[in-house]
Amino acid sequence: MPQGWTLVNDGEIELRAFLGPADIVLTSSLGSDSITLQLQLNASPTLELASSDPETVTTTAGLTILTASQPGDIAYVLGSLSNVPTSLPGLASVDLGNGGLALLILDVRVINGTNGYEETTVPLAGVPLPPGTKLFVQAAVIDGTTLALPAVSTNLQVGTIAP
């Protein structure tokens, strides 16, 4: 299978490598069929943890984060142990960080123009987080063309440290 394609199960394929048309050919003992899908950008900024609840995150593997938005947008990926919201008037409002008192910038990235997303792994090895600890992750995204504020928030994701 080409890079960026993942066979999830017998009935599901995940495509993450590019924008535009994708030719899919399915083959079984009964024959084959093909379809062309048009892969498009997300309508609004989105964040996904590679391992998120109900799954767990291991401190040795780190925290793999995918952020999707318009090419050129700037994403500030934020992390916290608190899901109490933070509001910074005129800048951003997010669903984590306890009013900014428990907010950490995990990554700043410019969204790729070829595939509309960026993937980063934040190392957690050596970070003293006990099993069962909840990690909250969200991004504040600024339009890369206008640099207008306030930033748009992505969805909130949660991961739990594995035992």
Side-chain angles (χ1 to χ4, degrees):
M1 200 165 273
Q3 183 179 6
W5 296 50
T6 303
L7 181 60
V8 177
N9 57 46
D10 287 343
E12 186 177 351
I13 298 171
E14 181 180 284
L15 307 169
R16 298 188 315 181
F18 54 88
L19 298 173
D23 295 319
I24 309 291
V25 178
L26 301 174
T27 304
S28 74
S29 60
L30 301 174
S32 66
D33 199 0
S34 65
I35 186 172
T36 299
L37 302 175
Q38 184 68 30
L39 304 179
Q40 301 176 10
L41 294 169
N42 288 2
S44 60
T46 306
L47 184 133
E48 178 78 25
L49 292 181
S51 295
S52 59
D53 283 352
E55 296 179 42
T56 56
V57 175
T58 63
T59 54
T60 54
L63 190 62
T64 301
I65 305 165
L66 294 118
T67 309
S69 191
Q70 297 295 314
D73 283 358
I74 303 162
Y76 292 83
V77 181
L78 308 169
S80 183
L81 299 178
S82 169
N83 65 344
V84 175
T86 297
S87 180
L88 303 170
L91 296 176
S93 291
V94 291
D95 300 321
L96 73 168
N98 193 18
L101 299 174
L103 198 58
L104 179 65
I105 297 177
L106 299 176
D107 188 36
V108 178
R109 57 182 71 174
V110 176
I111 303 300
N112 185 301
T114 303
N115 55 25
Y117 77 93
E118 287 294 322
E119 180 176 336
T120 297
T121 299
V122 177
L124 294 176
V127 177
L129 296 172
T133 300
K134 296 282 188 189
L135 299 173
F136 301 93
V137 181
Q138 190 171 21
V141 180
I142 298 172
D143 182 307
T145 304
T146 66
L147 302 179
L149 292 172
V152 175
S153 297
T154 66
N155 52 307
L156 178 68
Q157 290 281 280
V158 182
T160 304
I161 298 297

